[in-house]
Amino acid sequence: MTLDFKQIITAGMILFAVIDILGDIPIIIDLRKKVGHIQSEKASIVAAILMVVFLFVGEEILKLIGIDVNSFAVAGAFIIFFLAIEMILGIQLYKDDAPETATIVPLAFPLIAGAGTMTTLLSLKSEYDTINIIVAIIINIIVVYAVLKSSKKLERVLGNQGITVIRKIFGVILLAIAVKLFATNVTNIL
């Protein structure tokens, strides 16, 4: 296991697209209006811990229930596919109820470290070194923290049009990632 800049950048970009923190700015703004102050530091730290823990024990949990990483990666490809469809078409396939508090739920989980992120982590683990994924997680959490802290400013700068364009671009990237994950891992299953 060695640090590989290409793996870190690729894994980081994939996680960035799946987490979609820029696309979540409208949701974050709405949560701030509903519940008041959001603890950006706490949400970022909890999300990072959840991701790193799942990176290490997620595969063991799968083994316990008799599922291999390649099968999980194929299932993850479908989840990433549906996330991409949501982003590209501007529809919502999954909806949470309005929260009372927003720091841990729904911000840290499932908005930042949700099912798509967890699936992506195990999918990445089948292709990249763990240390590179951890570095990619840390880089993403720093970006998440910065976005949470400056979400109101970003909303003013990007505007609704800019946020929509960003979501669609990352949606197309996610769609391509889903196809690649499916193709790579389905051949390993067969």
Side-chain angles (χ1 to χ4, degrees), residues 87-141:
M87 293 167 72
I88 293 167
L89 300 179
I91 59 174
Q92 190 171 10
L93 300 172
Y94 175 77
K95 184 179 178 190
D96 267 339
D97 295 331
E100 291 178 18
T101 175
T103 298
I104 305 297
V105 177
L107 196 53
F109 179 83
L111 201 59
I112 299 166
T117 305
M118 300 306 189
T119 304
T120 302
L121 287 171
L122 286 189
S123 301
L124 290 172
K125 192 172 182 177
S126 69
E127 294 185 45
Y128 302 108
D129 290 335
T130 304
I131 188 69
N132 297 320
I133 300 170
I134 292 171
V135 172
I137 289 170
I138 292 167
I139 291 169
N140 269 279
I141 289 300

Side-chain angles (χ1 to χ4, degrees), residues 6-179:
K6 185 179 177 190
Q7 282 190 12
I8 292 168
I9 295 297
T10 306
M13 287 177 59
I14 291 169
L15 284 172
F16 185 75
V18 172
I19 294 170
D20 186 32
I21 196 67
L22 294 178
D24 289 337
I25 290 173
I27 298 167
I28 295 165
I29 298 294
D30 190 47
L31 287 173
R32 283 189 196 271
K33 288 177 186 172
K34 287 180 184 172
V35 300
H37 177 69
I38 292 174
Q39 297 172 324
S40 304
E41 300 87 359
K42 188 175 181 181
S44 300
I45 291 168
V46 168
I49 291 169
L50 285 171
M51 286 190 266
V52 171
V53 166
F54 194 79
L55 182 64
F56 285 102
V57 298
E59 194 171 346
E60 298 306 316
I61 293 169
L62 292 178
K63 284 180 186 174
L64 186 67
I65 57 176
I67 299 172
D68 63 288
V69 174
N70 294 100
S71 298
F72 195 77
V74 169
F78 285 113
I79 291 174
I80 294 169
F81 173 82
F82 288 118
L83 286 171
I85 295 299
E86 282 184 340
M87 293 167 72
I88 293 167
L89 300 179
I91 59 174
Q92 190 171 10
L93 300 172
Y94 175 77
K95 184 179 178 190
D96 267 339
D97 295 331
E100 291 178 18
T101 175
T103 298
I104 305 297
V105 177
L107 196 53
F109 179 83
L111 201 59
I112 299 166
T117 305
M118 300 306 189
T119 304
T120 302
L121 287 171
L122 286 189
S123 301
L124 290 172
K125 192 172 182 177
S126 69
E127 294 185 45
Y128 302 108
D129 290 335
T130 304
I131 188 69
N132 297 320
I133 300 170
I134 292 171
V135 172
I137 289 170
I138 292 167
I139 291 169
N140 269 279
I141 289 300
I142 291 168
V143 172
V144 163
Y145 174 74
V147 169
L148 289 176
K149 275 300 202 193
S150 59
S151 57
K152 288 181 183 178
K153 291 177 190 171
L154 286 171
E155 183 187 33
R156 283 193 302 266
V157 170
L158 295 173
N160 287 337
Q161 201 81 16
I163 291 170
T164 302
V165 169
I166 289 170
R167 282 188 73 105
K168 298 212 183 292
I169 290 169
F170 280 106
V172 171
I173 292 169
L174 274 184
L175 195 57
I177 291 166
V179 170

